[in-house]
């Protein structure tokens, strides 16, 4: 799309379309637009990646304050559509591009305090999983070392009497 002096979004669009996130109340609102597409029927598909990116960014910055934390959580487009979007129809519009028509869909994501608590719980569980993996490897290594030393010591102890039996007795 070449740059144009005209605004791409229609003038009669709802005020929330293209607005910044609203984090001022107990319920937080994220306004997410799909990737522009040439076909109106593809706007819903073009929304999946921006939905996941917006929610993961929100979790990283606003919920757990750790960049990359949301990547370990089961935040998918399907989860977002099922649990965080009240109106899946959203707002669909034709963009002013000056060339071929392009279409975009916008939806509102509503995140409640309960959902933020769920994200924190998922973060805690993900952290526990990452901490348990090295602990498990260390435990297996210690048990392997103990087992190996037990086998070696047992063979060593078992070999001593055989050597003594086969050797001639010293003369008094």
């Amino acid at each position: 799309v070449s740059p144009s002096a005209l605004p791409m979004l229609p003038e009669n669009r709802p005020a929330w379309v293209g607005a910044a996130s609203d984090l001022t109340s107990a319920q937080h609102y994220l306004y997410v637009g799909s990737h522009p597409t040439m076909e109106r029927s593809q706007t819903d598909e073009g929304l999946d990646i921006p939905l996941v990116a917006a929610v993961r960014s929100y979790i990283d910055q606003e919920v757990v304050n750790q960049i990359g934390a949301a990547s370990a959580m089961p935040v998918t487009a399907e989860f977002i559509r099922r649990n965080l979007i009240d109106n899946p129809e959203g707002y669909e519009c034709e963009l002013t591009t000056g060339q071929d028509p392009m279409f975009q869909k916008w939806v509102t994501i509503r995140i409640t305090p309960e959902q933020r608590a769920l994200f924190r719980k998922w973060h805690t569980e993900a952290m526990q999983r990452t901490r348990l993996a090295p602990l498990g490897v260390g435990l297996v290594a210690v048990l392997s070392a103990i087992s190996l030393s037990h086998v070696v010591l047992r063979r060593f102890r078992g070999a001593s009497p055989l050597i003594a039996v086969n050797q001639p007795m010293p003369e008094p």
Side-chain angles (χ1 to χ4, degrees):
V1 177
S2 59
S4 172
L6 298 172
M8 290 185 69
L9 291 168
E11 293 292 325
N12 62 346
R13 70 183 183 270
W16 58 269
V17 172
S21 300
D22 178 8
L23 310 175
T24 58
S25 64
Q27 296 190 31
H28 295 175
Y29 294 92
L30 311 176
Y31 308 108
V32 180
S34 69
H35 292 295
T37 64
M38 300 291 279
E39 299 289 328
R40 187 179 292 269
S41 61
Q42 295 176 345
T43 58
D44 210 37
E45 294 170 20
L47 195 56
D48 287 351
I49 293 171
L51 282 175
V52 172
V55 172
R56 285 186 175 174
S57 176
Y58 168 79
I59 291 170
D60 288 349
Q61 295 173 9
E62 301 296 329
V63 179
V64 296
N65 296 322
Q66 183 180 354
I67 301 301
S71 62
M73 297 180 194
V75 177
T76 62
E78 182 181 333
F79 169 81
I80 295 167
R81 288 179 190 276
R82 195 178 308 141
N83 299 295
L84 304 178
I85 298 176
D86 292 332
N87 180 10
E89 298 302 317
Y91 174 75
E92 223 173 89
C93 64
E94 183 175 337
L95 302 174
T96 306
T97 62
Q99 296 177 3
D100 293 333
M102 295 190 80
F103 302 93
Q104 190 173 29
K105 182 175 182 174
W106 289 81
V107 294
T108 301
I109 297 173
R110 181 175 57 95
I111 302 173
T112 64
E114 294 81 16
Q115 290 162 335
R116 288 193 295 277
L118 175 65
F119 295 148
R120 284 187 204 95
K121 178 182 174 195
W122 284 353
H123 175 65
T124 302
E125 290 171 355
M127 293 301 294
Q128 288 172 347
R129 280 192 303 274
T130 59
R131 290 177 184 158
L132 284 176
L135 182 63
V137 169
L139 183 61
V140 167
V142 168
L143 290 175
S144 297
I146 291 171
S147 297
L148 184 60
S149 64
H150 177 70
V151 168
V152 168
L153 290 174
R154 189 170 183 166
R155 285 187 183 223
F156 180 70
R157 189 184 310 156
S160 299
L162 290 177
I163 294 172
V165 169
N166 292 335
Q167 292 181 357
M169 296 286 277
E171 303 231 1

